[in-house]
Amino acid sequence: MERTFVMIKPDGVQRNLVGEILARYEKKGYKLLAMKLMRVTEELAHQHYAEHVGKPFFPGLVEYITSGPVVALVLGGKGVVAGVRAMNGATNPANAAPGTIRGDYGIEVGRNVVHASDSVESAEREIAIYFKEEEILAYEKNVDAWLYE
Ligand code: DAT
Ligand code: MG
């Protein structure tokens, strides 16, 4: 099953949006494979956002992502990588369509509420940064027959 890495960022936790955001992914039909409340350390932030090291916004990004607890998730499902990116909306909430998480809950790019992997390859890389394989569960749900033909 395709998997993606998702994070509800510190602003999402502080603004009491965890339940609403999880509910969206759940209702869509994506399967929760792993979940934890945790703090992102500076070291984790550098690993996670390795592609952005040295960019002007990088220090602010690290400060933001390490500023409070986050919820780290692994979600599974057919097309889940692109599907969650679409549900999250454009990187800058100012450009994110209404109906998306960033469009509905965010204002500025530096407080954009959620993260999701941008490809199957980056999903596997990011999952490995945040989770041990034994923390990721494989299980059947009866509803699967009602989600998949
Ligand atoms: P995404 O989170 O949509 O994958 P990204 O990987 O390009 O976007 O950037 C990672 C995060 O860095 C993004 O969620 C918010 C921040 N960021 C990106 N571009 C930025 C910019 N131009 N100014 C400020 N923050 C930015
Ligand atoms: Mg990205």
Side-chain angles (χ1 to χ4, degrees):
M1 194 202 302
E2 187 173 304
R3 311 191 294 182
T4 195
F5 175 72
V6 179
M7 183 184 286
I8 304 175
K9 293 179 175 179
D11 48 337
V13 174
Q14 292 296 325
R15 294 177 54 214
N16 302 321
L17 295 173
V18 172
E20 286 189 46
I21 292 168
L22 284 176
R24 289 184 179 218
Y25 302 137
E26 272 194 306
K27 288 178 193 169
K28 169 71 177 172
Y30 296 136
K31 193 181 282 184
L32 193 52
L33 302 179
M35 175 164 74
K36 63 182 160 192
L37 183 72
M38 61 178 289
R39 288 295 287 252
V40 178
T41 61
E42 294 248 342
E43 189 190 337
L44 275 177
H46 276 74
Q47 282 183 56
H48 178 164
Y49 286 121
E51 66 180 313
H52 299 307
V53 172
K55 294 185 184 171
F57 62 82
F58 186 73
L61 176 60
V62 173
E63 192 179 352
Y64 163 48
I65 211 73
T66 61
S67 65
V70 303
V71 177
L73 306 167
V74 180
L75 297 178
K78 186 176 182 183
V80 69
V81 171
V84 171
R85 292 281 294 187
M87 289 177 74
N88 285 1
T91 301
N92 189 337
N95 303 323
T100 65
I101 293 168
R102 287 161 169 172
D104 286 351
Y105 301 131
I107 304 279
E108 291 198 316
V109 69
R111 299 287 184 273
N112 63 359
V113 190
V114 280
H115 165 83
S117 311
D118 62 10
S119 67
V120 170
E121 298 72 46
S122 39
E124 290 304 317
R125 188 188 74 84
E126 292 168 9
I127 289 168
I129 292 172
Y130 286 97
F131 290 97
K132 302 183 188 118
E133 238 357 274
E134 61 263 31
E135 294 177 308
I136 304 168
L137 306 189
Y139 60 102
E140 302 298 319
K141 290 176 91 175
N142 290 337
V143 76
D144 288 348
W146 299 100
L147 287 164
Y148 294 98
E149 296 181 52

